[in-house]
Amino acid sequence: MYDWLIVGAGFAGSVLAERLANERNERILLIDRRNHIGGNAYDRFDEHGLLIHQYGPHIFHTNAKQIFDYLSRFTQWRFYEHRVLAEVDGLLVPIPINLDTVNKLYGLHLTSEQLQDWFAGRAEKVGEIKTSEDVVVSVVGRELYEKFFRGYTRKQWGLDPSELDKSVTSRVPTRTNRDDRYFGDEFQFMPRHGYTRMFEKMVSHPNIHVMTQTDYQDVRYAIPHRRVIFTGPIDEYFDFRFGKLPYRSLRFEHVTLDKPLHQPVGVVNYPQTHDYTRVTEYKHLTGQEHAKTALTYEYPSAVGDPYYPIPKPENQALFKKYERLALATPNVWFVGRLATYRYYNMDQIVGQALATFRRINETLPLRTESPPALPISAKTTALAS
Ligand code: FAD
Ligand code: UDP
């Protein structure tokens, strides 16, 4: 009898497994239907020995010291500040849009102060900022919006920015200085030996039993457990009772080139051309020295594994219906990007998992004090009710 069946070995599932095992000495079965742990942050060495991210570039950044300190128990770090260039009008320019972006694109020599006026002269008046279009046009105007955001967003989401919640393009700031870092966070690092090694350390505990290539349905009724933490898609858990929650997918094309370096920075975005959105070159992220270089091209897709919840009011309304079911389901906790339908970064998921652990720890008695475990038949009834 396991105390917990944890479905999904990404950040949400692995952090909770680690906390429950180490802090409460509980027995955990951690499963994932993929053939590895780490969820979407999984990295691996390709056939040439280059470290790549199987599911696209993952750069760790946070302002939360507590989250950084927590993960530091399982990894050393490599300092890395992420920089991205966008190919616009045939030029490679910094994104987030900054002083150099505008000067280079328009052949100007503006100062930061002049750029503020330049933006003010182009910004559109928007009453209430609601959509991802509003966010950008209200700051930099329509021309830069179209060059940098409209095409990229239509590719990435299959939707116009005017149809997406403001939170999506709000992820990318606009700057009037020359700061060309993609993120402004206080802590910006990559796990020195990769994410997978970090996850291995996190879940390496005698009380944590890991089973990959195992779907929840394979073990749900077969392996006795008292409680569940579910980190997969919430609509799938409830058999799509209210209809499918939309998630955006990607197809990753991994390529190795027989040259040491391909592009000047870790990621180049393509808002105007090509079917792919961006190209990642991992050596910038990992610092690996190698005669060859590995790249990933990201092709957005409506079908495939769920990677992104799609932030739109009607999707949120549908999620709320599932959330009400989830809250009424005893002994099952829903955690993570897919189960809480939130476009969260890794650090936010770690924060969510740590907060969930604190709630569990405050509300559930420790195993030694708890009543005898439910027989599986009773558990099944409890889950189904
Ligand atoms: P996941 O990592 O998705 O893990 C869920 C796991 O559950 C999966 O492994 C899945 O196989 C498993 N699962 C689902 N259903 C079942 C089932 N029925 N049975 C068994 N197993 C199941 N964040 C950053 O902070 N920085 C970045 O640079 C960054 N880049 C990203 C780039 C891309 C392309 C993507 C898609 C995401 C990126 N993220 C980034 C976000 C990051 O991936 C997530 O925040 C984080 O991985 C979410 O962790 P999770 O545990 O909630 O979900
Ligand atoms: N975006 C854009 N052009 C860019 C970069 C981002 O239009 O050059 C928009 C796009 O809608 C994207 C969102 O901003 O989905 C958030 O970008 P981010 O880089 O955070 O996306 P992620 O890394 O999560 O895929």
Side-chain angles (χ1 to χ4, degrees):
M1 170 68 76
Y2 287 100
D3 294 303
W4 295 91
L5 169 60
I6 302 188
V7 182
F11 270 101
S14 300
V15 166
L16 275 156
E18 183 280 322
R19 291 286 72 204
L20 292 164
N22 276 308
E23 294 293 323
R24 292 172 60 91
N25 196 28
E26 292 180 322
R27 287 166 309 202
I28 290 125
L29 177 60
L30 174 62
I31 64 164
D32 204 296
R33 60 182 164 207
R34 288 169 168 165
N35 63 0
H36 57 74
I37 59 170
N40 288 337
Y42 169 71
D43 54 13
R44 64 175 172 87
F45 289 93
D46 72 2
E47 65 274 29
H48 305 281
L50 284 153
L51 185 59
I52 67 164
H53 298 184
Q54 174 115 332
Y55 306 100
H58 279 72
I59 296 106
F60 184 77
H61 56 100
T62 190
N63 283 317
K65 184 170 184 310
Q66 180 218 348
I67 289 169
F68 180 69
D69 287 346
Y70 170 73
L71 291 177
S72 303
R73 298 181 195 179
F74 315 107
T75 187
Q76 297 174 332
W77 299 99
R78 167 177 194 265
F79 179 69
Y80 171 71
E81 288 183 323
H82 192 45
R83 288 182 167 77
V84 179
L85 295 171
E87 192 191 83
V88 170
D89 298 348
L91 296 169
L92 282 181
V93 291
I95 173 89
I97 294 171
N98 71 8
L99 181 61
D100 290 321
T101 310
V102 172
N103 280 339
K104 193 163 177 188
L105 210 52
Y106 292 94
L108 299 170
H109 298 91
L110 302 176
T111 62
S112 283
E113 223 167 49
Q114 289 169 324
L115 180 60
Q116 284 172 31
D117 296 339
W118 194 91
F119 281 152
R122 282 161 180 76
E124 286 184 13
K125 279 212 167 50
V126 179
E128 190 194 345
I129 295 183
K130 281 195 186 142
T131 73
S132 270
E133 176 182 299
D134 299 340
V135 172
V136 186
V137 297
S138 64
V139 176
V140 299
R142 193 149 295 268
E143 189 169 300
L144 287 175
Y145 159 74
E146 283 178 359
K147 285 185 195 296
F148 285 86
F149 286 91
R150 187 155 187 255
Y152 187 105
T153 301
R154 290 174 75 105
K155 249 196 287 190
Q156 169 72 10
W157 299 94
L159 293 168
D160 193 79
S162 60
E163 300 171 273
L164 275 170
D165 189 83
K166 64 180 176 192
S167 58
V168 177
T169 52
S170 299
R171 291 167 59 90
V172 184
T174 301
R175 303 195 180 113
T176 50
N177 59 19
R178 302 190 62 193
D179 185 356
D180 63 347
R181 297 170 309 156
Y182 202 66
F183 307 112
D185 302 51
E186 189 177 340
F187 303 95
Q188 307 194 28
F189 293 94
M190 296 292 290
R192 181 169 288 282
H193 303 290
Y195 288 96
T196 303
R197 285 272 290 276
M198 180 178 80
F199 277 97
E200 281 166 1
K201 209 158 168 214
M202 199 183 283
V203 302
S204 147
H205 187 287
N207 286 10
I208 304 176
H209 183 185
V210 179
M211 277 169 71
T212 52
Q213 297 186 83
T214 304
D215 195 281
Y216 181 44
Q217 295 308 332
D218 302 337
V219 296
R220 182 171 189 171
Y221 303 113
I223 299 186
H225 54 275
R226 296 168 64 214
R227 300 186 177 97
V228 174
I229 289 168
F230 189 82
T231 75
I234 190 169
D235 56 338
E236 185 185 316
Y237 181 91
F238 291 108
D239 298 323
F240 309 103
R241 196 176 304 182
F242 302 128
K244 278 193 137 200
L245 260 175
Y247 295 91
R248 190 68 171 161
S249 193
L250 292 170
R251 180 170 66 80
F252 301 100
E253 198 176 294
H254 302 298
V255 175
T256 307
L257 300 181
D258 206 1
K259 58 180 180 180
L261 222 52
H262 172 69
Q263 61 191 32
V265 287
V267 168
V268 176
N269 286 357
Y270 291 90
Q272 293 175 322
T273 50
H274 304 295
D275 290 338
Y276 46 83
T277 47
R278 60 186 177 189
V279 178
T280 300
E281 183 170 36
Y282 293 103
K283 284 168 87 175
H284 295 279
L285 280 55
T286 61
Q288 191 176 5
E289 288 180 17
H290 198 291
K292 297 178 196 283
T293 192
L295 315 176
T296 297
Y297 292 74
E298 289 174 57
Y299 293 86
S301 163
V303 291
D305 281 359
Y307 291 122
Y308 293 85
I310 305 177
K312 302 177 61 169
E314 56 266 48
N315 299 350
Q316 196 53 29
L318 181 54
F319 165 69
K320 286 282 166 201
K321 290 175 79 173
Y322 282 111
E323 192 185 40
R324 277 196 288 278
L325 273 186
L327 289 171
T329 305
N331 294 327
V332 186
W333 275 255
F334 293 82
V335 192
R337 176 150 145 149
L338 303 173
T340 61
Y341 204 68
R342 287 189 170 88
Y343 185 3
Y344 270 3
N345 295 324
M346 296 181 280
D347 65 318
Q348 295 170 298
I349 296 296
V350 173
Q352 192 190 53
L354 292 175
T356 304
F357 171 74
R358 283 194 294 274
R359 271 201 305 280
I360 288 173
N361 209 23
E362 281 159 16
T363 50
L364 294 184
L366 285 172
R367 178 158 53 88
T368 46
E369 303 151 21
S370 33
L374 287 174
I376 191 69
S377 53
K379 169 74 187 156
T380 310
T381 321
L383 269 179
S385 63

